[in-house]
Amino acid sequence: MKLAPIFTDHMVLQRDKAACIFGESEKKEVVKISIDDINVEQDINAGKWIVELPPHAAGGPFRMSISSEEGETILEDVLYGDVWLDNGQSNIEFMLEEAEGGAEEIASGNYPEIRFYKMIKTGVIDGEVLRQEKENHWTAFTDAAFGEVSAIGYFYATKLYEKTGVPIGLIDIYQGGSSITCWLEEDRLASIPEIADYMKKYYDIVENSTEEEMDKVQADYDAAADRYNNLVEELDRTRPDISLQEKLDLTGFFPWPPPLNKTTIFRPFGPVETMTKRIVPYTIKGVVYYQGEEESVKNFEYYEKTGENTQYVKLMEALIAQYRDFFGDPSLPFFYFQLPMFIEFGREDSRDWALIREAQGAVEKPEDNIYMVSLLDIGDYNEIHPKDKKTPGYRMADTLLAKLYSGEDIEDLKLKDITKRDGQLEISFETSFGGIKLSPNLLLDYRKESGDVAYEEGHIYGLEVSRDGTEWRVPEARLEDGKMIIDIDEEDTFIQYGHFNYGRVNVYNNLGRPLRPFRRRIR
């Protein structure tokens, strides 16, 4: 009898659902599992097996015994609590030790009842990965040993724990630069026509290229990436005061995306097999997801071709359905982030990130346990990895508390209605929690709405109106009695807020949550 790699000392079991213990066996035998006052005995067949333990009150630590004819495995310091799966790309992967304030948290943090299990990042399962899996383990937030945890995971987990006292387990499954297609099974991708062109590109490469050809393309790419990194490092060392324009002139843009092949971790339906499924169906409370950066080009190209912003919506819906199938819970809570502001120096603002944000907003269904947290008011210019992970982490914690733990209700500010009358638009809002306000933040006025003024008090940043949907201008606007009043021309037909890759926005509800971006045709 062999247990799945995730079963190690210090693990956290989900408290309010049947906890799944699983592995493989070479023969039919009896498995006995004991923990606290729970004793389960079950016949298992050769091959993959699974045993369910009944729900248990939060607490511990406990000692778990798992035995069969082949011997006994003892797991020490096991807790019952809430287990969250962190999934996505680099901004959920961004480690605490690299985040703003992370060093201080690591030095002072002491949360023995919060643990994390970090999946091995790999595109293939080989002997080396199997060896690493045997050494992988759960790590508690103690003794400065947790610097590699997701920074966002750390901040939302610690706030959850401080508010509820319930032990927390985090399972970190992510890969920087990964597409959402990496995390979806092949048959699910095949059922989404909006992604057919990308899948055809992948199949054309792997079916019509030899292994030697694919290896050569990968080697050439790695060499180009190394040349770029070495040049940037050299410039940073020898010319620390060089301007961004001079650096771009000398280096160009980082070579991206990496090539597709049969083994890369960036291939469609790859990591879902080599990473996610390695822990399925370990029982979890829900999923926290942060991804979309890598989809901006694919989604934009589909939008330009069809006029429909549906590609990322369909992929997200498929991912949520997949997780619910994986973990046997048709209403598994799914929480995700709406992308922050970002533009790279020297790039045109094509509004491709704005389209991803719009698609993300279309996925939210609170009635179906699907919730979004907006990050529209944060983001570092020319840096795709904002170092402030406390803000998104705490916002996620507040949302989790409100929706699942009977905490104080809190949501982003949302558009309710737009009324046109007498050369003005009147915009009303929901989830204002007592009012709306304008607040400065760290976003730059990249679009020069207020000229040379650092921050213009009373100015509503991020609004645009247009007659034809192509030429946009910033209108005069103000807040009155909890509504937004905007002066327009009679011919104006379209309005949008925050619908750009990077720029300043400054509208919040009374609880400090930002107004979500929107674009509308004026009735």
Side-chain angles (χ1 to χ4, degrees), residues 1-21:
M1 178 203 66
K2 182 173 69 173
L3 288 169
I6 196 170
F7 296 104
T8 76
D9 293 341
H10 319 301
M11 69 179 180
V12 182
L13 295 174
Q14 185 57 40
R15 61 186 171 119
D16 57 356
K17 304 177 184 178
C20 296
I21 311 297

Short mmCIF file of all heavy atoms in Angstrom, two decimals, residues 1-21:
data_model
loop_
_atom_site.label_atom_id
_atom_site.label_comp_id
_atom_site.label_asym_id
_atom_site.label_seq_id
_atom_site.Cartn_x
_atom_site.Cartn_y
_atom_site.Cartn_z
N MET A 1 0.84 -1.19 0.00
CA MET A 1 0.00 0.00 0.00
C MET A 1 0.88 1.24 0.00
O MET A 1 1.83 1.34 0.76
CB MET A 1 -0.90 0.03 1.23
CG MET A 1 -1.78 1.26 1.33
SD MET A 1 -2.33 1.60 3.02
CE MET A 1 -0.77 2.02 3.82
N LYS A 2 0.56 2.19 -0.87
CA LYS A 2 1.33 3.43 -0.97
C LYS A 2 0.38 4.61 -0.88
O LYS A 2 -0.65 4.64 -1.55
CB LYS A 2 2.10 3.47 -2.29
CG LYS A 2 2.97 4.71 -2.47
CD LYS A 2 3.84 4.62 -3.70
CE LYS A 2 2.99 4.69 -4.96
NZ LYS A 2 3.80 4.76 -6.19
N LEU A 3 0.74 5.59 -0.07
CA LEU A 3 -0.06 6.81 0.06
C LEU A 3 0.36 7.82 -0.99
O LEU A 3 1.50 7.85 -1.44
CB LEU A 3 0.14 7.43 1.44
CG LEU A 3 -0.48 6.72 2.64
CD1 LEU A 3 0.04 7.33 3.93
CD2 LEU A 3 -1.99 6.80 2.58
N ALA A 4 -0.59 8.70 -1.39
CA ALA A 4 -0.25 9.81 -2.26
C ALA A 4 0.76 10.71 -1.56
O ALA A 4 0.77 10.80 -0.32
CB ALA A 4 -1.50 10.60 -2.63
N PRO A 5 1.64 11.39 -2.30
CA PRO A 5 2.74 12.15 -1.68
C PRO A 5 2.28 13.24 -0.71
O PRO A 5 3.04 13.61 0.18
CB PRO A 5 3.44 12.78 -2.90
CG PRO A 5 3.10 11.89 -4.04
CD PRO A 5 1.72 11.39 -3.77
N ILE A 6 1.07 13.74 -0.85
CA ILE A 6 0.62 14.85 -0.02
C ILE A 6 0.41 14.45 1.44
O ILE A 6 0.33 15.29 2.33
CB ILE A 6 -0.67 15.46 -0.60
CG1 ILE A 6 -0.94 16.84 0.02
CG2 ILE A 6 -1.86 14.53 -0.42
CD1 ILE A 6 -2.04 17.62 -0.66
N PHE A 7 0.36 13.14 1.71
CA PHE A 7 0.12 12.68 3.08
C PHE A 7 1.44 12.59 3.83
O PHE A 7 2.20 11.63 3.70
CB PHE A 7 -0.61 11.34 3.06
CG PHE A 7 -1.99 11.44 2.47
CD1 PHE A 7 -2.23 10.98 1.19
CD2 PHE A 7 -3.03 12.01 3.18
CE1 PHE A 7 -3.48 11.08 0.62
CE2 PHE A 7 -4.29 12.13 2.62
CZ PHE A 7 -4.52 11.66 1.33
N THR A 8 1.73 13.67 4.57
CA THR A 8 2.96 13.73 5.36
C THR A 8 2.63 14.28 6.74
O THR A 8 1.50 14.71 7.01
CB THR A 8 4.01 14.66 4.70
OG1 THR A 8 3.64 16.03 4.92
CG2 THR A 8 4.12 14.40 3.21
N ASP A 9 3.63 14.29 7.61
CA ASP A 9 3.48 14.93 8.92
C ASP A 9 3.04 16.40 8.73
O ASP A 9 3.37 17.03 7.72
CB ASP A 9 4.79 14.91 9.69
CG ASP A 9 5.21 13.50 10.08
OD1 ASP A 9 4.35 12.61 10.08
OD2 ASP A 9 6.41 13.30 10.37
N HIS A 10 2.31 16.91 9.70
CA HIS A 10 1.91 18.32 9.76
C HIS A 10 0.82 18.69 8.75
O HIS A 10 0.55 19.87 8.55
CB HIS A 10 3.11 19.26 9.57
CG HIS A 10 4.36 18.83 10.29
ND1 HIS A 10 4.40 18.67 11.65
CD2 HIS A 10 5.59 18.49 9.82
CE1 HIS A 10 5.61 18.27 12.00
NE2 HIS A 10 6.34 18.15 10.91
N MET A 11 0.20 17.71 8.12
CA MET A 11 -0.81 18.05 7.13
C MET A 11 -2.07 18.56 7.81
O MET A 11 -2.29 18.37 9.02
CB MET A 11 -1.14 16.85 6.24
CG MET A 11 -1.88 15.72 6.93
SD MET A 11 -2.22 14.39 5.76
CE MET A 11 -3.09 13.23 6.84
N VAL A 12 -2.91 19.24 7.01
CA VAL A 12 -4.20 19.75 7.48
C VAL A 12 -5.30 19.04 6.71
O VAL A 12 -5.27 19.00 5.48
CB VAL A 12 -4.31 21.27 7.28
CG1 VAL A 12 -5.65 21.78 7.84
CG2 VAL A 12 -3.15 22.00 7.96
N LEU A 13 -6.27 18.48 7.43
CA LEU A 13 -7.43 17.82 6.82
C LEU A 13 -8.63 18.75 6.88
O LEU A 13 -8.82 19.46 7.87
CB LEU A 13 -7.75 16.52 7.55
CG LEU A 13 -6.71 15.40 7.47
CD1 LEU A 13 -7.13 14.24 8.36
CD2 LEU A 13 -6.52 14.93 6.04
N GLN A 14 -9.45 18.73 5.83
CA GLN A 14 -10.66 19.56 5.81
C GLN A 14 -11.62 19.09 6.89
O GLN A 14 -11.94 17.92 7.00
CB GLN A 14 -11.31 19.51 4.43
CG GLN A 14 -12.50 20.42 4.29
CD GLN A 14 -12.17 21.88 4.58
OE1 GLN A 14 -11.12 22.38 4.22
NE2 GLN A 14 -13.07 22.56 5.28
N ARG A 15 -12.10 20.03 7.66
CA ARG A 15 -12.87 19.70 8.87
C ARG A 15 -14.34 19.37 8.61
O ARG A 15 -14.93 18.54 9.29
CB ARG A 15 -12.80 20.86 9.86
CG ARG A 15 -13.40 22.15 9.31
CD ARG A 15 -13.18 23.33 10.23
NE ARG A 15 -13.56 24.57 9.61
CZ ARG A 15 -14.51 25.39 10.06
NH1 ARG A 15 -15.21 25.06 11.13
NH2 ARG A 15 -14.77 26.53 9.45
N ASP A 16 -14.99 20.06 7.63
CA ASP A 16 -16.45 19.98 7.52
C ASP A 16 -16.93 19.15 6.34
O ASP A 16 -18.11 19.19 6.00
CB ASP A 16 -17.05 21.38 7.43
CG ASP A 16 -16.49 22.18 6.26
OD1 ASP A 16 -15.59 21.67 5.57
OD2 ASP A 16 -16.95 23.31 6.04
N LYS A 17 -16.02 18.40 5.73
CA LYS A 17 -16.38 17.50 4.64
C LYS A 17 -15.69 16.17 4.87
O LYS A 17 -14.79 16.05 5.71
CB LYS A 17 -15.93 18.07 3.29
CG LYS A 17 -16.45 19.45 2.96
CD LYS A 17 -15.88 19.92 1.63
CE LYS A 17 -16.29 21.34 1.30
NZ LYS A 17 -15.69 21.82 0.03
N ALA A 18 -16.11 15.17 4.11
CA ALA A 18 -15.44 13.87 4.20
C ALA A 18 -14.00 14.02 3.70
O ALA A 18 -13.77 14.40 2.56
CB ALA A 18 -16.18 12.83 3.37
N ALA A 19 -13.03 13.75 4.55
CA ALA A 19 -11.63 13.86 4.18
C ALA A 19 -11.19 12.61 3.42
O ALA A 19 -11.37 11.49 3.91
CB ALA A 19 -10.77 14.05 5.43
N CYS A 20 -10.61 12.81 2.24
CA CYS A 20 -10.22 11.68 1.39
C CYS A 20 -8.77 11.29 1.64
O CYS A 20 -7.86 12.12 1.54
CB CYS A 20 -10.40 12.04 -0.08
SG CYS A 20 -12.11 12.34 -0.54
N ILE A 21 -8.56 10.01 1.97
CA ILE A 21 -7.22 9.43 2.07
C ILE A 21 -7.09 8.46 0.91
O ILE A 21 -7.95 7.61 0.70
CB ILE A 21 -7.03 8.68 3.41
CG1 ILE A 21 -7.50 9.54 4.59
CG2 ILE A 21 -5.58 8.25 3.58
CD1 ILE A 21 -6.72 10.82 4.77
#
